[in-house]
Amino acid sequence: MRLHRLDITAFGPFGGEQSVDFDALSAAGLFLLHGPTGAGKTSVLDAVCYALYGAVPGARQGMTLRSDHADPRTRTQVTLDLTVAGRRLEITRQPPWERPKLRGKGTTTDKAQTWLREYDAAAGAWRDLSRSHQEIGEEISRLLGMSREQFCQVVLLPQGDFARFLRADAEARGRLLGRLFDTQRFADVEKRLADRRRATEAQVREGDAALLADAHRMQQAAGDAMELPELAPGEPGLADAVLAAAAVARATAREQLTVAHCRLAAAESAHAAAGRALEDTRELARLQERFAQARERARLLEERAEDHRAAQARMERSRKAEAVAPALELRDAAEADHERAAREESRARALLPETYAEAGATGLAAAARRAAEELGGLESARRAEQRLAVLLDERAGLDRQERADDGVLADAEQWLAGWEETRAGLQARIDAAQEAATRAEQLAERREPAQRRVRAARERDRLAAETEAAAAEVRRAEQETLAAKEHWLEVKERRLDVIAAELAARLADGEPCAVCGATEHPAPARKDAGHVDREAEDAALAAYQQAQQRRDEAERRHGAVREALAAAGAEAGDDPLDRLAREADEIERLFGQARRDASALHAAQEELRRAEQERERRSADRQQAAVRVAERVGHRERLERERALLEEELAHARGTAASVAARAAQLERRAALLTDAADAVRAAEDAAQRLKDADARLADAAFRAGFHTPRDAAEALLSDADHRALQRRLDAWQAEEAAVRALLAEADAAAAAQQPPADVAAAERAAADAAERLRAAASARDAAARRCAELDRLSAHAAQGVRRLAPLREEYDRVARLAALTAGTSADNERRMRLESYVLAARLEQVAAAATARLQRMSSGRYTLVHSDDRTGRGRSGLGLHVVDAWTGRERDTATLSGGETFFASLALALGLADVVTDEAGGVRLDTLFIDEGFGSLDDQTLDEVLDVLDSLRERDRSVGIVSHVADLRRRVHAQLEVVKGRTGSDLRRRGH
């Protein structure tokens, strides 16, 4: 993959259009991207990542892509021209943005857009490929062969991440390597095996629990005589122990069943004999009781013989009176009708006036006819009275309408009189709100710049104090460096003075001198008390170099603070902070007041619209009310004329009554009362005649039946209920007499009466005891049979469960061994290495080998990265990373490296990881790399070695971009892309060649 050109518009800190010509920058192989802190160096890399993947690196996800410095009408856009997999492509992405509406005020949101084009070399022109976000994302990922996370680690090398990688533990390294090399499938295998182990274990435990449940049920069925195995679900040997205990319980139950059968046969024989004896005793007692009852019933019949004869006489006299019963009934009915007719006549005459008290039926009927004739003459007056009521209601309605219209006219006139004043007040409110809205828009443009100046002024004042402190630190570091240098030169000079003593210490008789070659040494130099050796000189040099490093670090911090102070000063200006804060607060107060005043615009406009609608409605109501008033005048005159005619007619028709209806009601009531009275008089006369005829027929019937008077016949007559009761008494006496004679004549009962009394209670007790013994024996036999059947059923069920669990238990043992082996917890896994860690360890070993080639060159052959399988963290192993120091020959953890050593070790690791991930992704060639920060921790010699390693990447036709603000790199790297920060946004400038 090689980048050619990047075009940025309104992206991040870049308010306008910016372009990066990577072909020109990459011509030298190594180029520098520099600028002050916060200028936007990292935003250039974000734009590359966004163009390829439609998102910025993970650490900056969620940030706003659009520049705050951009014109509201300029849309954010990123265009990247690159070559990947031999194809020249151009990707253009526009994130969603909120732009001003083309018509009216306010904003509207445009959706995100993406274009993908390919350069056709044969045609010499670009051709469109797709405008689908999904299709373009899939195509770019396929061509690059890596995800966004891998791209950010391999192409945009974040040194801080790899420095943390060097110091991280095995789990943290595993998370990073897992994302880069996509080893999730191995972790899924581990999880799948663990899930299967848990599932099969749960099934085995469930089966064992069911087996134990069967064992408990068998123990209950065996009467707690069965001993359960003291094993938990999942423990070995549980099935055999349960089956053995079940076999013992079944044998014991069968023996108990045989004994119960024998006891039941004996109890059945004894129960049969006791039953027969009880039946014989009960029969004897029944016969004795039957004979005694018969003799008692005969005695009672003898006592009631006189009453029986009287009842027979009473029945005979009743039969004679039955011939007189029809005449009695007829006379009673006639008397009842006569009494009822007399009461009706009295009631009807009481309702009539006294003038009709002595009138007969004929006179009453004639008076009723006269009242009906008078009532018929009032029908026309009734209709006139109904019409008059309608006229009065209609006139009352006209009065109500007139009062309502008068109110409408008065209300409308009063409201319309103040309309102009109301309209003028509402219009004034609208004008004031519109002026406030305009004032709020003007203040809104001043709010953000004023707030930015306040923030910049606070930062400026803080950085001014930090700048002074940093300058003092630089001066102190320079003094320490000069002192250390003077000390080192002094020590070096003193050592040169006494170097002869060191050489003389190595002389031996007969061996040539390293200086003159002589084999005799008559007067070798001697070490004095102030002798300086090589170790002292090296210590002084090391102290001097450390002082230089502290000075360089102090200068770097001083420069960074000065750059930040300059940027803050450019933003804030020279005004003091309190003045800028007061101006910003005043603008904020005015803006808030203007917004509150402007918020009343819509309400005032709505109120004016409603007031205009109300004015139109009031005018229409006033006009309609005037029309209705004119129409009612003629209608009222017609109603008055008709009312006068009707009242004259009704005055004649109602007479002394209050109304025609009242007069008609009087006549209707009189006619009805007279008619009812005439009918009641005729009915009373007819009833009196029927009563007289009934008395004559009753006297004749009583005489023929043999009674002296009708009263005697009535007293002898029985009612149906009394007749039936008396007949039942006679029949019962006769039946009882016949039954007693029959009982006393039975031979068995007479013979039983001669025997001693039967003892039924003793026989019943003996039979009950035998029955109880039989029930106990039967219950014992049934319980033993149920116990045997239940034990057989449960044993069969348990044996079936054991057979079903056998293959499942074997599968659990096999899966558990595999799961423990892949999870690193098995004893067979000596290093306790997980499967995913094993795969990642192989990748880490490749990365370490690829990184060592560059690390040895950066460190002048001193350091080598090696992969370690030693156990770390919770006893696991596989992702250890050590560094071998060639100067000491010792292997130590990468976390012990110093700051500068950590930088070039992490850089070598990043470059090595880029090579391995590239090969893993299918060998996609990466011709453009970026390295972000970290060079400030290197001394001059190490920086030269690192740059040589980066420059060597050109051997593979690669270009490397260094992102840093270290000033020394500007002298060493000639091709540069500078990010210049300003109040209106950042700009990009290319320098060098």
Side-chain angles (χ1 to χ4, degrees), residues 211 229 231 235-247 802 809:
L211 187 61
L231 297 173
E235 294 186 17
L238 177 64
D240 295 336
V242 171
L243 294 180
V802 170
R809 194 182 301 276

Side-chain angles (χ1 to χ4, degrees), residues 79 100 206 222 249 277 287 341 358 476 489 508 528 538 543 568 574 633 693 774 779 843 848 859 867 884:
T79 301
E206 183 180 352
L287 292 174
E358 301 299 331
R476 184 167 55 255
L489 294 176
D528 56 14
D538 290 343
D574 298 331
V633 174
D693 294 341
L774 176 61
S779 298
R843 294 290 187 265
S859 62
H867 165 254
V884 178

Side-chain angles (χ1 to χ4, degrees), residues 758-782:
D759 192 353
V760 179
E764 287 178 346
R765 285 195 297 271
D769 293 341
E772 181 62 27
R773 289 192 295 273
L774 176 61
R775 284 195 297 271
S779 298
R781 193 276 315 271
D782 295 341

Side-chain angles (χ1 to χ4, degrees), residues 266-430:
E268 287 176 347
S269 299
H271 180 265
R276 287 192 297 273
L278 177 60
E279 290 297 328
D280 293 342
T281 303
R282 284 177 175 172
E283 179 62 19
L284 177 61
R286 185 184 68 78
L287 292 174
Q288 292 176 346
E289 178 68 19
R290 181 181 181 86
F291 189 78
Q293 291 177 354
R295 295 180 64 179
E296 178 65 20
R297 289 163 64 184
R299 185 185 65 80
L300 293 176
L301 285 174
E302 184 64 26
E303 292 178 354
R304 296 197 306 271
E306 186 64 30
D307 293 336
H308 176 64
R309 287 189 290 274
Q312 287 179 330
R314 180 82 173 89
M315 178 63 71
E316 182 63 24
R317 186 174 175 81
S318 175
R319 290 194 184 96
K320 293 179 179 180
E322 289 177 357
V324 188
L328 284 171
E329 292 176 358
L330 183 61
R331 197 267 174 192
D332 292 339
E335 185 177 10
D337 290 343
H338 179 265
E339 292 177 355
R340 185 168 50 256
R343 287 194 300 273
E344 288 295 327
E345 180 184 3
S346 299
R347 183 188 61 79
R349 286 187 180 276
L351 296 176
L352 294 176
E354 294 181 358
T355 55
Y356 299 102
E358 301 299 331
T362 305
L364 294 173
R369 285 195 297 273
R370 290 194 298 272
E373 291 174 357
E374 186 178 355
L375 178 63
L378 295 179
E379 187 62 30
S380 174
R382 283 184 177 182
R383 289 194 296 270
E385 188 174 46
Q386 293 174 356
R387 174 56 183 163
L388 179 61
V390 172
L391 289 178
L392 294 176
D393 290 342
E394 190 172 354
R395 190 177 66 175
L398 291 177
D399 294 340
R400 289 193 298 271
Q401 293 176 5
E402 185 174 5
R403 288 191 298 272
D405 288 340
D406 290 342
V408 169
L409 288 172
D411 190 21
E413 291 293 344
Q414 181 180 0
W415 193 92
L416 292 173
W419 160 244
E420 290 299 330
E421 182 179 355
T422 301
R423 187 189 61 78
L426 293 175
Q427 187 61 45
R429 286 172 56 190
I430 293 173

Side-chain angles (χ1 to χ4, degrees), residues 436-498:
T438 304
R439 189 166 61 255
E441 292 178 358
Q442 295 171 353
L443 291 171
E445 297 176 357
R446 296 170 55 192
R447 284 178 67 227
E448 182 60 25
Q451 293 173 358
R452 286 200 302 270
R453 290 189 66 190
V454 170
R455 291 193 295 270
R458 291 195 183 98
E459 186 71 9
R460 176 197 64 193
D461 296 346
R462 184 184 64 81
L463 292 174
E466 291 187 6
T467 302
E468 294 178 0
E473 181 67 22
V474 170
R475 290 193 296 271
R476 184 167 55 255
E478 288 176 348
Q479 292 174 1
E480 292 177 355
T481 303
L482 291 176
K485 184 176 183 181
E486 291 175 358
H487 176 66
W488 170 57
L489 294 176
E490 180 184 354
V491 171
K492 185 175 183 181
E493 184 177 359
R494 289 171 58 193
R495 183 171 181 275
L496 291 176
D497 292 341
V498 297

